[in-house]
């Protein structure tokens, strides 16, 4: 039940809901309906606190990340995030734009250094992928572990200034050994729980960062003898992921490379609209994490407001939240299975609709309804 007044015996969790812009609020509505239903079935209570973030916060509070929003997140067990940004705010000064002014500071503020992006291609969704069916026959399951609070996204100096009489942009890629070590541990542990295979991505043939990255991942690998480790340069990885996606299991990447490769993986799997993500901080010691959960895709302003967006990524992000921040694994399984069954039954939003037999095109809320019907 999502009800602040519920009985004391039912465990309660506080969740900050940051729907944001574009399709964010539409897909968030479906995730909340799914959470409401699953919490009733699995007997826990969520107290939801809706807060402004991104463009809508700029419009209403003159800042993309209002203090109340940060405070709500600080007091919550987890953050469920929609998406931010859109053409309306693109011409603002860089630091005031929704992405740089809200999303990146939230990641940094809460130390959410580990971004898990499961790229799961259901066998029944193979036809929605632009990749040839014989390459992805039977589907695949790759987990991208992306470093999220370091690298070229955050390194200093970062500026656009006049140098030698012309405008010059500077972004700096910085990785400390300890930053590489902690994300490597996340990736090795993830691989241990899967098929013991880890591919680490770098650009060690050009970047100093790549040399340290590779060296450090190698060093950490000695603590995980059961995991087979290999390394790929990022350009080669971009190619191999399309050529032979089924041969990958866990992919570990620095911030920028993980950003790029995870979009590629999403597309190979069928659509960005299917891909959830979890951004996690250090473990709280009980196997759980404070985290922010969001679809890997963006605010999709081109289809916002039409009620046709795919809510699966947001719903699957809610499932990751139950699993990693609240430890409610059965409820999370129930959501994952319901999404899978709904897809297997042939229901498709526009982004994953093909003219295959036995498929039915549905809108955002119809997809939500079908998933709710399939919850156990
Ligand atoms: C993502 C997004 C963000 C990123 C943008 C919106 C800043 O692309 O989460 O992958 O680059 O990290
Ligand atoms: Mg991205």
């Amino acid at each position: 039940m999502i009800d602040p007044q519920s009985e004391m015996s039912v465990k309660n969790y506080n969740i900050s809901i940051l729907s944001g812009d574009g399709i964010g609020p539409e897909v968030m509505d479906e995730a909340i309906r799914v959470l409401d239903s699953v919490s009733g079935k699995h007997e826990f209570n969520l107290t939801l606190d809706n807060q402004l973030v991104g463009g809508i916060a700029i419009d209403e509070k003159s800042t993309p990340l209002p203090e109340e929003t940060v405070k709500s997140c600080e007091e919550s067990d987890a953050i469920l995030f929609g998406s931010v940004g859109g053409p309306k705010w693109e011409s603002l000064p860089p630091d005031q734009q929704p992405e740089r002014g809200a999303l990146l500071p939230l990641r940094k503020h809460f130390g959410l250094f580990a971004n898990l992006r499961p790229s799961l291609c259901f066998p029944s969704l193979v036809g929605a992928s632009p990749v040839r069916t014989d390459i992805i026959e039977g589907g695949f399951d790759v987990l991208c572990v992306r470093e999220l609070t370091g690298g070229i996204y955050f390194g200093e100096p970062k500026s656009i200034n006049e140098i030698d009489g012309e405008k010059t942009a500077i972004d700096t890629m910085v990785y400390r050994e300890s930053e590489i070590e902690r994300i490597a541990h996340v990736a090795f542990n993830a691989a241990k729980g899967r098929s013991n295979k880890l591919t680490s991505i770098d650009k060690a043939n050009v970047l100093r960062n790549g040399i340290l990255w590779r060296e450090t991942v190698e060093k950490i690998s000695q603590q995980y003898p059961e995991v087979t480790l290999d390394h790929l340069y990022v350009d080669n990885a971009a190619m191999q992921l399309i050529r032979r996606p089924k041969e990958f299991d866990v992919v570990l990447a620095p911030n920028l490379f993980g950003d790029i490769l995870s979009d590629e993986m999403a597309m190979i799997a069928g659509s960005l609209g299917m891909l959830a993500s979890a951004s996690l901080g250090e473990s709280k010691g009980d196997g759980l994490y404070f985290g922010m959960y969001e679809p890997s895709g963006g605010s999709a302003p081109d289809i916002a407001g039409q009620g046709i967006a795919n809510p699966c990524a947001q719903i699957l992000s809610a499932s990751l939240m139950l699993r990693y921040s609240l430890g409610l694994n059965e409820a999370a399984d129930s959501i994952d299975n319901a999404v899978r069954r709904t897809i297997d039954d042939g229901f498709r939003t526009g982004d994953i609709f093909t003219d295959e037999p036995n498929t039915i095109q549905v809108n955002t809320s119809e997809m939500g309804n079908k998933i709710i019907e399939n919850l156990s």
Side-chain angles (χ1 to χ4, degrees), residues 84 99-100 103-104 107 115 117 146 148 153 255-256 258-260 262-263 277 294-298:
V84 293
E99 295 87 343
R100 282 192 205 78
L103 186 54
L104 300 183
R107 289 173 179 170
N115 185 211
R117 299 192 160 181
R146 169 189 176 195
L148 202 61
Y153 272 55
N255 204 341
L256 179 62
D259 176 46
I260 297 167
S262 62
D263 266 31
S277 94
E294 57 176 307
S296 298

